[in-house]
Amino acid sequence: MTATVDAATAGPWRPGRRAGARSAPLPWLPLFPAVPEYGTLCRHLADGGFRHVVEALLPPRAAEAAYRPAASAEPDGAEPGFRVLDGLWLPPERGHDLRRADAAECLRAAARWEASGDARAGAARHVLDRLARAADEDPMALRRLTLYQLSCLLTDEGPPTGAAALALGVDRAEADLLADAVAAGFPPPGAAREAAEELADAHRAHHLRRARRLIGTIPAASADPGLARLRSGIDTAFRDVARELADAARHTAAGRHRAAATACLRAARTVADDEAARAALLAAAVASGDSGTTAPVAAVVEAQGGVRLSWSAPGRAARFLVLRWAEADGPETAVEVPVPAPAEGAIPAPRAGTHVVRDPEPPTGRVLRYAVVPWDGRRVAGIARATAALRVTPEVTGARAVAVPDGLRLRWRPHPAATAVRAVRLDAPGGGTGPRVDCGPDGLTDRPLPAGSHTYLVTSAYPGEDGEPVWSAGQRVTGTAEDWPAPVPGDVALTTTKDGRVSLGCRLPARGEARLAVWRGRAPEPGEDVSQALPGLSFLHGEGNGRAATVLPPRRAALRVTAVSVLGERAVAGPSALIETLGEVADLTARRRGPDLAEVAFAWPEPAVLVLLRWESGGRREERRVPRSLHGAGPLLIPVDRAEWSVTAVPVARPDATFATSAPTGARLPALPLPRLALHYARRAVDRTAALAARRSRD
């Protein structure tokens, strides 16, 4: 669309004023704001209640009187608005022409907001500082940004009209033309708009691959000359990357690793998100380190499974990216290892110019490589350096050995990724490999062993690249076996006398001396180490150095006697005997709770754990075992009939008791008389029976 300009109606020309604007061709509209961090800028605008950036450039309400624009030359005398089609021009101050919006005007506007005391001054300052930086970088940035925001507002609020443009502050001379241009095809809200607002950030970070995808999302991108230039520059950058990678491949084939690394660096800096360029950069770092061209990064595998990296970086401190990949998968699969800030627990450098980073949880069992890449916050800043190939196979932790009867017990904590643990005793001459010892995932018990020092090599297995187990180098664990007494063989012999005494005796062990001890608590297993309990044991005195003794068990109590083998400060448990004198149940009573139910009560006979309750009548017999836990929890009820019953209660010894004494206690439950009516009919039945018998006798 073209038009001629009528000189008669054009009027005097002023900066920013179109001559014959109503008949001018439609201007092109920017399809992206071209301002980095556009989302942050929009949040600051919303904080100040600004619809678009020009409202932040205009004076605050408190200063409007001093900066009131001069009346327009329009017939209705309306105040002029801002103009944006021929650059961004702000309304004139009193006695002046239009003001061009540039970096200096942004700073003046910021000063006016600061002096106004307006509540929106903070948000305005954030917006204007960002606008000033954008204007310094590109003189047309403010016009592009304003046009983009106005186009979005006119599209989002309904059909674009000149009145809507006037309401946004656009000058009357450009309002209709701007509305027509927006209506001609500015994209509506959606994916294209979101891509356009992310494009500047992607381009500024040199993420050109992502920027090219975003441009492809914007329809009719060629309608925006700035967008077309940006796409052309991105295509040129990718051609440069391809040429640099081809040069790097030739340098590598010729053994010129330094030149190859430099070419890969140029490629990675050109397109920061190009996977091929990053993979080539890391591969060049590996080749340079393996050939000795560059100093490799030192890597140490820690016992707990972490990897500690250290490298020197002379000069000013810089940021670094630490990348890790499995050598079988290639550097294109590299992932970033988080590098904590010093306040977050970074390992302090051992000396100036040295950087230290720890990878706490690297993959286990596979051959790994690490690379350290200088980083300036947005892209690669220098040639990468790599570690030598390493494999992480963590050892067990917390390994210790303690002496047990006839051998050693080893305990450790396996790594969570370990699939198996193996232990070998190094008893061969010269510390060679000895017999393998059966072990579990967290320890082993090795017996019998001769007294002396014994060393074990404990190794852990992890899945390798081909699925086969990869074993760690192993951790040595040393313990000292001691001479232990042998357990007392057989059982504790027990005989009783008429006066209630009990005679106990045990056999002599193969090593050490045997003694009978009064054991309190759980009975130890034969062969169990009881050395720690030895000082507090109470031994029975009798014949054979305490191997035989006679005791009178206390009434209503349990006495456990254990045969203990003693050799020096070591003691081993042998067989045990439990003697219980339960006595009898006291206060046994039985009373009826109805014609077919009776309640039984008694005092619990300590130390019994069970009481056998039995009730009998006319050849009928029933019984129940009452545990201690149910006694006293509620009334103890038994089923009966109207006949007389005898109730008996006797304490029951524990299942592991060797000898027990107890006595039954009885109670009587009287018969329940029949009701009167039932007695009358019973008597009549007896009388009829007697009369019938007499008649038969006479006959």
Side-chain angles (χ1 to χ4, degrees), residues 536-674:
L537 291 180
S538 177
F539 293 103
L540 300 179
H541 299 285
E543 301 176 359
N545 293 330
R547 286 193 298 113
T550 301
V551 297
L552 179 62
R555 293 185 70 252
R556 295 184 179 276
L559 176 65
R560 189 183 299 277
V561 178
T562 300
V564 179
S565 302
V566 180
L567 180 63
E569 297 181 354
R570 296 294 185 182
V572 175
S576 299
L578 177 62
I579 304 168
E580 286 190 322
T581 53
L582 302 176
E584 61 184 18
V585 174
D587 303 331
L588 177 65
T589 60
R591 63 186 183 90
R592 290 186 177 274
R593 295 284 294 269
D596 56 357
L597 207 62
E599 179 181 349
V600 178
F602 56 88
W604 189 264
E606 296 292 348
V609 294
L610 283 175
V611 168
L612 177 63
L613 187 66
R614 184 182 296 119
W615 57 102
E616 302 175 273
S617 175
R620 180 183 173 188
R621 179 177 178 177
E622 296 189 33
E623 62 181 31
R624 179 186 299 175
R625 292 178 180 267
V626 182
R628 187 204 304 264
S629 59
L630 293 183
H631 181 262
L636 180 60
L637 303 177
I638 59 175
V640 293
D641 56 16
R642 292 179 176 272
E644 180 180 351
W645 291 79
S646 62
V647 181
T648 304
V650 59
V652 180
R654 300 180 188 181
D656 60 341
T658 309
F659 175 76
T661 60
S662 62
T665 301
R668 177 178 171 274
L669 183 67
L672 185 65
L674 293 173

Side-chain angles (χ1 to χ4, degrees), residues 219-458:
S222 59
D224 183 346
L227 200 56
R229 287 193 300 271
L230 186 63
R231 181 168 54 186
S232 176
I234 291 175
D235 293 340
T236 301
F238 275 100
R239 288 193 293 271
D240 293 341
V241 168
R243 184 177 63 255
E244 295 289 357
L245 295 182
D247 292 343
R250 289 193 297 272
H251 292 318
T252 301
R256 297 188 295 270
H257 300 294
R258 183 72 182 187
T262 303
C264 292
L265 172 62
R266 288 194 294 265
R269 283 184 58 81
T270 302
V271 183
D273 62 342
D274 187 72
E275 296 178 359
R278 189 180 74 163
L281 179 73
L282 301 181
V286 170
S288 297
D290 292 348
S291 65
T293 304
T294 59
V297 176
V300 177
V301 180
E302 299 174 334
Q304 296 81 4
V307 175
R308 184 185 177 99
L309 307 173
S310 60
W311 67 94
S312 60
R316 296 177 59 87
R319 291 183 57 191
F320 292 91
L321 286 181
V322 179
L323 303 175
R324 180 194 66 220
W325 70 94
E327 193 165 50
D329 298 336
E332 58 272 9
T333 62
V335 296
E336 183 177 352
V337 176
V339 178
E344 300 174 355
I347 301 174
R351 62 182 183 276
T354 300
H355 298 262
V356 180
V357 169
R358 181 176 178 270
D359 184 9
E361 295 182 353
T364 57
R366 308 191 67 188
V367 178
L368 304 177
R369 291 274 192 174
Y370 287 84
V372 175
V373 183
W375 189 253
D376 66 1
R378 291 186 296 176
R379 58 177 176 169
V380 178
I383 294 176
R385 294 161 59 187
T387 66
L390 58 96
R391 194 190 297 269
V392 179
T393 52
E395 307 293 351
V396 298
T397 57
R400 64 192 183 280
V402 296
V404 296
D406 296 332
L408 290 171
R409 179 184 293 120
L410 275 66
R411 288 290 180 265
W412 57 72
R413 292 188 300 275
H415 191 274
T419 57
V421 180
R422 184 171 61 191
V424 175
R425 189 180 341 120
L426 305 178
D427 282 349
T433 301
R436 182 175 173 179
V437 183
D438 292 336
C439 68
D442 57 356
L444 63 86
T445 300
D446 190 13
R447 58 168 53 129
L449 284 176
S453 178
H454 300 274
T455 301
Y456 299 80
L457 184 66
V458 182

Side-chain angles (χ1 to χ4, degrees), residues 493-505:
L494 185 148
T495 58
T496 61
T497 61
K498 294 181 179 180
D499 60 358
R501 294 180 180 274
V502 179
S503 298
L504 304 166

Side-chain angles (χ1 to χ4, degrees), residues 174-263:
E174 295 183 349
D176 291 333
L177 191 59
L178 175 61
D180 293 342
V182 173
F186 191 81
R193 185 88 60 82
E194 294 173 0
E197 293 170 4
E198 296 175 7
L199 180 57
D201 289 329
H203 186 263
R204 188 181 186 88
H206 299 275
H207 292 170
L208 302 189
R209 186 172 294 277
R210 178 167 171 261
R212 187 162 61 180
R213 288 196 301 268
L214 294 174
I215 291 176
T217 310
I218 303 173
S222 59
D224 183 346
L227 200 56
R229 287 193 300 271
L230 186 63
R231 181 168 54 186
S232 176
I234 291 175
D235 293 340
T236 301
F238 275 100
R239 288 193 293 271
D240 293 341
V241 168
R243 184 177 63 255
E244 295 289 357
L245 295 182
D247 292 343
R250 289 193 297 272
H251 292 318
T252 301
R256 297 188 295 270
H257 300 294
R258 183 72 182 187
T262 303

